[in-house]
PDB file of all heavy atoms in Angstrom:
ATOM      1  N   THR A 112      25.660   6.131  24.145  1.00 82.00           N
ATOM      2  CA  THR A 112      26.132   7.143  25.087  1.00 82.00           C
ATOM      3  C   THR A 112      27.671   7.153  25.163  1.00 82.00           C
ATOM      4  O   THR A 112      28.297   6.081  25.021  1.00 82.00           O
ATOM      5  CB  THR A 112      25.614   6.983  26.447  1.00 82.00           C
ATOM      6  OG1 THR A 112      25.927   5.683  26.962  1.00 82.00           O
ATOM      7  CG2 THR A 112      24.070   7.092  26.530  1.00 82.00           C
ATOM      8  N   LYS A 113      28.210   8.310  25.325  1.00 82.00           N
ATOM      9  CA  LYS A 113      29.705   8.494  25.541  1.00 82.00           C
ATOM     10  C   LYS A 113      30.015   8.442  27.003  1.00 82.00           C
ATOM     11  O   LYS A 113      29.195   8.875  27.798  1.00 82.00           O
ATOM     12  CB  LYS A 113      30.124   9.780  24.928  1.00 82.00           C
ATOM     13  CG  LYS A 113      30.216   9.790  23.421  1.00 82.00           C
ATOM     14  CD  LYS A 113      30.820  11.071  22.881  1.00 82.00           C
ATOM     15  CE  LYS A 113      31.017  11.056  21.394  1.00 82.00           C
ATOM     16  NZ  LYS A 113      31.662  12.292  20.898  1.00 82.00           N
ATOM     17  N   PRO A 114      31.194   7.939  27.360  1.00 82.00           N
ATOM     18  CA  PRO A 114      32.244   7.406  26.448  1.00 82.00           C
ATOM     19  C   PRO A 114      31.819   6.052  25.877  1.00 82.00           C
ATOM     20  O   PRO A 114      31.056   5.294  26.495  1.00 82.00           O
ATOM     21  CB  PRO A 114      33.441   7.282  27.318  1.00 82.00           C
ATOM     22  CG  PRO A 114      32.865   7.062  28.743  1.00 82.00           C
ATOM     23  CD  PRO A 114      31.615   7.933  28.774  1.00 82.00           C
ATOM     24  N   ILE A 115      32.269   5.792  24.615  1.00 83.00           N
ATOM     25  CA  ILE A 115      31.929   4.589  23.921  1.00 83.00           C
ATOM     26  C   ILE A 115      32.576   3.368  24.640  1.00 83.00           C
ATOM     27  O   ILE A 115      33.765   3.319  24.760  1.00 83.00           O
ATOM     28  CB  ILE A 115      32.337   4.576  22.460  1.00 83.00           C
ATOM     29  CG1 ILE A 115      31.660   5.746  21.757  1.00 83.00           C
ATOM     30  CG2 ILE A 115      32.097   3.275  21.785  1.00 83.00           C
ATOM     31  CD1 ILE A 115      30.194   5.601  21.630  1.00 83.00           C
ATOM     32  N   VAL A 116      31.696   2.398  25.055  1.00 85.00           N
ATOM     33  CA  VAL A 116      32.226   1.199  25.670  1.00 85.00           C
ATOM     34  C   VAL A 116      32.027   0.054  24.594  1.00 85.00           C
ATOM     35  O   VAL A 116      30.881  -0.249  24.204  1.00 85.00           O
ATOM     36  CB  VAL A 116      31.457   0.826  26.952  1.00 85.00           C
ATOM     37  CG1 VAL A 116      31.962  -0.532  27.498  1.00 85.00           C
ATOM     38  CG2 VAL A 116      31.604   1.950  27.995  1.00 85.00           C
ATOM     39  N   PRO A 117      33.090  -0.541  24.071  1.00 86.00           N
ATOM     40  CA  PRO A 117      32.973  -1.548  23.014  1.00 86.00           C
ATOM     41  C   PRO A 117      31.937  -2.612  23.213  1.00 86.00           C
ATOM     42  O   PRO A 117      31.144  -2.935  22.360  1.00 86.00           O
ATOM     43  CB  PRO A 117      34.408  -2.099  22.863  1.00 86.00           C
ATOM     44  CG  PRO A 117      35.301  -1.028  23.319  1.00 86.00           C
ATOM     45  CD  PRO A 117      34.526  -0.301  24.434  1.00 86.00           C
ATOM     46  N   SER A 118      31.929  -3.234  24.444  1.00 88.00           N
ATOM     47  CA  SER A 118      30.965  -4.298  24.684  1.00 88.00           C
ATOM     48  C   SER A 118      29.542  -3.803  24.603  1.00 88.00           C
ATOM     49  O   SER A 118      28.672  -4.507  24.050  1.00 88.00           O
ATOM     50  CB  SER A 118      31.211  -4.909  26.082  1.00 88.00           C
ATOM     51  OG  SER A 118      31.072  -3.901  27.127  1.00 88.00           O
ATOM     52  N   GLN A 119      29.273  -2.603  25.180  1.00 86.00           N
ATOM     53  CA  GLN A 119      27.915  -2.083  25.023  1.00 86.00           C
ATOM     54  C   GLN A 119      27.549  -1.688  23.635  1.00 86.00           C
ATOM     55  O   GLN A 119      26.450  -1.936  23.162  1.00 86.00           O
ATOM     56  CB  GLN A 119      27.771  -0.856  25.983  1.00 86.00           C
ATOM     57  CG  GLN A 119      27.916  -1.152  27.444  1.00 86.00           C
ATOM     58  CD  GLN A 119      27.847   0.081  28.308  1.00 86.00           C
ATOM     59  OE1 GLN A 119      27.795   1.164  27.851  1.00 86.00           O
ATOM     60  NE2 GLN A 119      27.813  -0.167  29.609  1.00 86.00           N
ATOM     61  N   MET A 120      28.519  -1.146  22.857  1.00 90.00           N
ATOM     62  CA  MET A 120      28.278  -0.815  21.493  1.00 90.00           C
ATOM     63  C   MET A 120      27.962  -2.015  20.633  1.00 90.00           C
ATOM     64  O   MET A 120      27.081  -1.995  19.730  1.00 90.00           O
ATOM     65  CB  MET A 120      29.454  -0.092  20.917  1.00 90.00           C
ATOM     66  CG  MET A 120      29.212   0.377  19.446  1.00 90.00           C
ATOM     67  SD  MET A 120      30.595   1.311  18.768  1.00 90.00           S
ATOM     68  CE  MET A 120      30.062   1.287  16.996  1.00 90.00           C
TER      69      MET A 120
END
Side-chain angles (χ1 to χ4, degrees):
T112 56
K113 286 186 174 182
I115 299 295
V116 178
S118 59
Q119 293 177 353
M120 181 180 169

